[in-house]
């Protein structure tokens, strides 16, 4: 039995839930948990009304932390989101406080599955989940740069009129302002991407990816659909034991933190990180991004 528990039934949590109901997934049970119990109940009622027409058949209900005990995945999407002009890093003080409480309650339920983290700042919250849970790092996955990578592939696919699924390029580093694309490792149809798009234009695309959340938040107040599907993509890789490569936030032993990079995901969580051959410029860029996450974690201590 595959059971997903979602903690935090806001825009992100419910976009994930709605996408789960509407995608080809092997989920049997979905439990919604929120500090606002009535909200979780209302969302469960509303979602249940999709089932007569939805492709998936699953049991959906509002619950509490005891329902995490036999979950396969606990996804945490609870906490403050960015106001217009706010960076993801601006959220770490508020969200680190609630994470201690949430992760402790999940672990105390007897949960022994995989944590999937969506709350910002993403890399810091994923690190805190790992620390508070005491789980092996392979079982703590942050959505990391999966959404940013989707944004990148969409923009490149749109620019070249190529299916974005055939764009093999990744955003790595912090899920935030210092993330970047190691273009030396980006290819389409086996050719380096610079054979298709000039370098200056690629830098503009990377800038657009970084700015995406700000642009969306300025217009609609939050971002939700992209992260909802990104979480489903990671969920399927876990539930179907896919051994698929997805850009997520995972543990970096050298720096003792979590940071976005491609990794192989299967039923046990993260099975292996993929290390790129980065050029000097890219290596420096990644280190800068890592240092930003490191400083943020230090600031919490
Ligand atoms: P939201 O305000 O719509 O929802 C947050 C939910 O968390 C609310 O329902 C609230 O009641 C609940 N909550 C708050 N404290 C709680 C607690 N202690 N226990 C249980 N539930 C609690 O926010 P949102 O737009 O859904 O964003 C959620 C988080 O996801 C934010 O940090 C946001 O920045 C982040 N986010 C991440 C990505 C990504 O790529 N990882 C993308 C978009 C948003």
């Amino acid at each position: 039995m595959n059971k997903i528990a979602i903690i935090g039934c806001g825009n992100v949590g419910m976009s994930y839930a709605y996408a789960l109901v509407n995608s080809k997934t092997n989920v049997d049970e979905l439990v919604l948990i929120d500090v606002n119990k009535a909200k979780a109940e209302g969302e469960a009622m509303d979602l249940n009304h999709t089932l007569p027409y939805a492709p998936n058949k699953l049991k959906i209900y509002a619950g509490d932390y005891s329902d995490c005990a036999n979950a396969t995945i606990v996804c945490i999407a609870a906490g403050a989101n960015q106001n217009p002009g706010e960076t993801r890093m601006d959220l770490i003080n508020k969200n680190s406080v609630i994470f201690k409480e949430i992760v402790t309650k999940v672990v105390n339920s007897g949960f022994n599955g995989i944590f999937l983290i969506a709350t910002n700042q993403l890399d810091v919250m994923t690190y805190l989940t790992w620390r508070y849970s005491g789980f092996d790092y392979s079982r703590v996955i942050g959505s990391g740069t999966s959404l940013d990578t989707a944004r990148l592939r969409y923009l490149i696919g749109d620019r070249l009129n190529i299916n974005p699924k055939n764009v093999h390029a990744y955003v790595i580093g912090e899920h935030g302002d210092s993330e970047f694309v190691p273009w030396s490792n980006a290819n389409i149809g086996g050719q380096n991407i610079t054979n298709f798009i000039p370098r200056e234009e690629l830098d503009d695309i990377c800038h657009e990816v970084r700015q995406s959340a700000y642009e969306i938040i300025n217009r609609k107040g939050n971002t939700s659909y992209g992260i909802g599907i990104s979480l489903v993509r990671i969920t399927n890789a876990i539930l179907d034991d896919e051994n698929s490569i997805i850009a997520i936030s995972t543990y970096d032993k050298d720096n003792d933190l979590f940071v976005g990079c491609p990794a192989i995901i299967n039923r046990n969580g993260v099975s292996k990180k993929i290390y790129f051959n980065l050029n000097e410029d890219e290596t420096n860029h990644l280190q800068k991004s890592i240092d930003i996450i490191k400083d943020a974690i230090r600031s919490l201590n």
Side-chain angles (χ1 to χ4, degrees), residues 7-14 33-36 39-40 65 76-82 88 91 95 97-99 101-102 105 117-122 125 142-148 151 175 213 217 221-224 226-228 230-231:
I7 302 173
C9 301
N11 304 300
V12 172
M14 292 318 299
I33 302 167
D34 198 288
V35 70
N36 179 348
K39 166 106 168 97
Y65 284 92
I76 309 181
N81 61 9
Q82 293 164 267
R88 296 170 179 92
L91 304 172
N95 288 342
V97 175
I98 69 162
F99 258 60
E101 178 199 326
I102 291 174
K105 283 181 176 168
I117 308 305
T119 302
N120 278 317
Q121 195 281 323
L122 190 281
M125 294 308 133
S143 63
T145 45
S146 57
L147 170 59
D148 320 83
R151 288 171 173 157
H175 172 58
I217 289 167
N222 62 76
T223 74
S224 55
I227 181 60
S230 302
L231 293 168

Side-chain angles (χ1 to χ4, degrees), residues 201-219:
E201 232 182 281
L202 288 174
D203 289 338
D204 290 345
I205 290 175
C206 184
H207 178 74
E208 194 173 338
V209 169
R210 256 187 236 126
Q211 287 303 112
S212 296
Y214 296 109
E215 294 295 337
I216 298 168
I217 289 167
N218 280 340
R219 288 166 173 81

